[in-house]
Every structure is written in structure tokens, then in C-alpha cells.
Amino acid sequence: GENVEQHPSTLSVQEGDSAVIKCTYSDSASNYFPWYKQELGKRPQLIIDIRSNVGEKKDQRIAVTLNKTAKHFSLHITETQPEDSAVYFCAASIYGGSQGNLIFGKGTKLSVKP
Amino acid sequence: SAVISQKPSRDICQRGTSLTIQCQVDSQVTMMFWYRQQPGQSLTLIATANQGSEATYESGFVIDKFPISRPNLTFSTLTVSNMSPEDSSIYLCSVPTGLTEAFFGQGTRLTVV
């Protein structure tokens, strides 16, 4: 089955700096890669996702890149703000197939210092 | 996005008892998923709840411990049976939507004492 590795487990940056979180996956059949942000005591919320037919996707300060050959994808947050502090999870799944479930990485705790 | 109502939001239970968690969605969905998030950990898929058939469990999870019902396309329950302190976790249901593969309910924070 699918296995998702996520690094680093913790990340501390100064406000305004960029943050990068990296994930690798094992199942070449996976074709959907979402990123979730979870604030303390709240449900995980989707912040951006990418499907295997594109290599990069941007949404304002957030971008995700995908390298299918190497089976890794990354989250990039630019101009970080204190409200970006949260735990971020990457995940992988076979979108639209009989299994729409997600396999999650272990998470990255991002701290943005003012 | 879907509206998911998950109940209860939290509970404190005695060991050896069972708790049933409900998940109600405002639209019909073929599959619903149940996840567990242990304290400070990531999300782990427990099972897929299929309407009209038995749930499909992931490795490490069994029906006797986590029985699931799916009586219709908008509702599912997860029961945590014969609880021990190790079952203390957040349990979340999720549904796929047109925008995302998983939209989560607000979760049930379970503490077993």
C-alpha cells in the first residue's frame, strides 16, 4: 500500500521568510496530492492540492510542486505570517478511483515568529 | 463544500464501555471515511463506510473493535467498543467532494479513563 513520508517534523521561520515542506510517496498509482492545515483543536482543512497531470500549482502565497518521476511533492509558503503557524499534513490518494481515501504524512509543525 | 455534522464533539468514557459517533452529511455521498488522530499524531484511516455493503477496514483495525453502520447515503456511525485509555483520540469522518478528496467533520475528541 501507499506510504507517505514528510519532512521536517518541525519548522521554525521568521515572519516574512519562506517555508518549504517536503513529502515522498511510494505508490506510483497515486495521482492526487492534497495539503491540509490543522490549527490547534480544529479539523484539518484543505489549503491546496495538485493532481498528477500538472507539475506546479499556485494560490497566492502558497504553491505546491510535484515530481512524478521522483515521487515527491512539496509545499512552499512565501512571506510567512504568524497566522500560518499550524500543523501541515501532506497526503496521497488515487483520486476518483474505487479508493478515495487519503494516506497522510506525519505532519510538520510550522512556527512563524513575529 | 459539504456540511458535516459530527456528534458528539467530545466525550469522557469509562474503560470497558462503548461510544457511538454519528456523522451526518447534507448531501448524498457514495463513500464516507473514518479516521483516527491520536494525540499529537497524524491521521490514520480506520475504514471506508460503503452504503449497502460492509465497511472496508484498514490494516490494524477490526470490525469487532470499530463496528460501522451506513444505513443511507447521508449518514454513518462508528462505534468504539470495549474502550481502553489507548483509544483516547480524535475521531473524524470525512466525505469526498467535488473540490477535495476529503472534507472533514469537526471531529470527536474521546478521552477514556
Side-chain angles (χ1 to χ4, degrees), chain B residues 49-64:
Chain B
N50 306 301
Q51 198 274 330
S53 63
E54 286 193 0
T56 305
Y57 289 84
E58 298 299 308
S59 175
F61 298 96
V62 296
I63 187 171
D64 289 348

Side-chain angles (χ1 to χ4, degrees), chain A residues 34-96:
Chain A
W35 286 88
Y36 284 82
K37 176 183 180 182
Q38 188 175 32
E39 297 175 329
L40 190 63
K42 296 188 177 181
R43 77 184 85 184
Q45 292 197 304
L46 180 75
I47 56 171
I48 195 167
D49 58 12
I50 191 167
R51 294 181 172 81
S52 59
N53 58 343
V54 298
E56 183 176 0
K57 184 177 179 181
K58 274 186 167 182
D59 184 2
Q60 299 183 342
R61 297 187 296 109
I62 296 173
V64 57
T65 58
L66 171 65
N67 184 325
K68 287 168 52 180
T69 303
K71 289 190 281 189
H72 66 70
F73 56 111
S74 300
L75 177 71
H76 305 253
I77 306 174
T78 58
E79 301 172 25
T80 54
Q81 302 168 2
E83 51 265 37
D84 294 328
S85 297
V87 179
Y88 291 81
F89 295 99
C90 63
S93 87
I94 304 172
Y95 180 78

